[in-house]
Amino acid sequence: MNTLVRECLFHCLLALLIVPWVSSATADEPAPSKPGVLRALMITGGCCHDYQNQKQIISEGLTKRVGPIEWTILQYGDGKDVQADVYKNTDWIEGYDIVVHNECFGAVEDVDFIQGIVDAHLKTGVPAIMIHCSLHSYRTAANADAWRELVGVTSRRHERTKHSLDVVATPSGNTHSVLSSVSSLAQGKTWKTPNGELYIIENVWPGTTVLATAYSAETSKSEPVIWVNEHKGVRVFGTSLGHHNETMLDETWQQVVAAGFRWALEKQ
């Protein structure tokens, strides 16, 4: 066997051992499902956040706490007006068990494009996780309430200053499965986030149950920060917390998002 043949065989065998992991802004159809392995798609990128590291913090944290997950991660540029190419394919969501949205495309105003994202979830029933700036994606679009209703809340701005937030469970949160196993948010306890950017919530949509809030001195009221949404047969878990990496790395944030992930998949 000559050297060239040996090298070809080596690289072919190596390729078979690599777990699928897509980190560019292109992806083929997901591989056939493996028994007991979830297939998750993460869309990330856009303005104002450390998505290069956050995609690893989220995916590794969920895999550790939920179990085997086969990730496809699509990261786009840092512009506010990016229309993620994946959403332009009508069947982009097919083959996945869940979609994690951690994106910040606030200046996209194409209503048909935005509606297409929502329609994919509604058509397939594939659940969603909405993290932080996904709330502010498409916020300047005048007629994007379909997206906001899917997210579960409407937000277009955040507090001017960044600071630690005092997060407390609501009465509904105290009895909900998402927070029941999170000791730092047990009844009467307050979770002080390492840092924070508090989103101002204009509207809570029907179907949404607010699980936790943080008080805003700017609005003089408690703002929803963790919720679940059941919208037209689609389960959505959402949190506005997660601007800073140190918040995402906090064990409480990790536990809450993992519990929300399981709830969205109806595994609780």
Side-chain angles (χ1 to χ4, degrees):
M1 184 180 295
N2 61 40
T3 302
L4 180 59
V5 172
R6 283 198 299 270
E7 289 181 355
C8 288
L9 286 173
F10 172 78
H11 289 294
C12 287
L13 289 170
L14 182 62
L16 291 173
L17 298 174
I18 297 175
V19 175
W21 179 283
V22 180
S23 58
S24 64
T26 60
D28 297 324
E29 293 182 1
S33 179
K34 301 174 184 177
V37 179
L38 295 167
R39 289 178 296 183
L41 171 64
M42 185 190 301
I43 310 296
T44 192
C47 168
C48 315
H49 303 88
D50 181 13
Y51 291 118
Q52 186 64 27
N53 286 309
Q54 286 189 4
K55 67 184 181 186
Q56 293 178 292
I57 294 170
I58 296 168
S59 61
E60 291 174 4
L62 284 171
T63 299
K64 177 181 177 181
R65 290 165 180 80
V66 175
I69 302 173
E70 186 177 89
W71 285 98
T72 298
I73 300 179
L74 305 183
Q75 181 176 356
Y76 292 85
D78 58 4
K80 295 180 180 180
D81 58 352
V82 174
Q83 289 192 16
D85 288 341
V86 64
Y87 294 141
K88 297 177 183 179
N89 302 321
T90 56
D91 59 351
W92 65 269
I93 204 169
E94 297 288 345
Y96 294 105
D97 297 304
I98 193 166
V99 178
V100 177
H101 294 276
N102 186 39
E103 62 213 67
C104 199
F105 306 131
V108 174
E109 298 182 345
D110 186 331
V111 176
D112 290 337
F113 173 81
I114 299 165
Q115 184 67 54
I117 305 171
V118 176
D119 287 346
H121 279 285
L122 298 183
K123 177 183 176 181
T124 61
V126 173
I129 306 298
M130 300 289 184
I131 296 175
H132 193 57
C133 201
S134 295
L135 281 65
H136 284 182
S137 288
Y138 322 118
R139 62 179 169 175
T140 60
N143 298 305
D145 276 353
W147 173 255
R148 296 158 194 149
E149 193 172 5
L150 178 67
V151 172
V153 300
T154 298
S155 178
R156 292 182 176 85
R157 67 186 182 93
H158 53 71
E159 284 188 331
R160 291 183 293 272
T161 61
K162 296 175 177 58
H163 55 89
S164 174
L165 304 175
D166 291 343
V167 178
V168 295
T170 64
S172 296
N174 280 326
T175 58
H176 199 280
S177 61
V178 168
L179 298 188
S180 63
S181 62
V182 182
S183 59
S184 54
L185 280 169
Q187 291 196 18
K189 289 189 177 181
T190 298
W191 170 40
K192 298 184 75 68
T193 66
N195 207 336
E197 181 180 72
L198 184 58
Y199 278 19
I200 307 304
I201 305 301
E202 300 173 14
N203 182 47
V204 176
W205 290 87
T208 296
T209 301
V210 176
L211 304 183
T213 62
Y215 183 78
S216 169
E218 290 188 16
T219 64
S220 299
K221 63 185 181 72
S222 294
E223 301 291 344
V225 294
I226 302 169
W227 61 91
V228 291
N229 181 22
E230 297 188 63
H231 176 56
K232 297 182 179 180
V234 179
R235 283 192 166 205
V236 179
F237 166 80
T239 180
S240 64
L241 305 172
H243 179 83
H244 303 89
N245 291 0
E246 56 262 44
T247 298
M248 283 192 175
L249 287 166
D250 187 274
E251 181 60 24
T252 297
W253 192 93
Q254 290 279 336
Q255 289 179 7
V256 168
V257 174
F261 190 94
R262 289 191 293 268
W263 174 87
L265 287 164
E266 301 187 68
K267 291 185 178 296
Q268 286 188 320

